Amino acid sequence: MTNLIEKLTDSVHSWGAKLSYGEKVTLDGHDILPVAAVVFGFGGGEGSGEQPASDTVPAGRGEGSGGGGGG
């Protein structure tokens, strides 16, 4: 999981300009440069462990995972 998130965050800096700005177009003598706001989000997760029994919770084995993304 960590390796995947590192790869995604390493590539984000190259996405911004390509996604934010379109190709310049000339229309009726005016140069138009399409621009948009870009938002990204990522996530992660992990987990494990043993849950000891208590007065309110039975004993158990903990597990976990995670994920994420954005755009």
Side-chain angles (χ1 to χ4, degrees):
M1 175 80 77
T2 303
N3 194 23
L4 173 64
I5 293 173
E6 287 176 5
K7 287 181 181 180
L8 287 172
T9 53
D10 286 344
S11 66
V12 167
H13 64 89
S14 66
W15 298 350
K18 284 184 179 178
L19 293 176
S20 297
Y21 302 97
E23 293 294 320
K24 181 177 74 170
V25 177
T26 302
L27 182 63
D28 294 330
H30 299 281
D31 290 335
I32 299 171
L33 181 62
V35 179
V38 177
V39 178
F40 290 96
F42 289 96
E46 201 61 40
S48 67
E50 298 291 325
Q51 173 67 43
S54 71
D55 292 339
T56 58
V57 179
R61 178 183 161 94
E63 291 188 31
S65 87

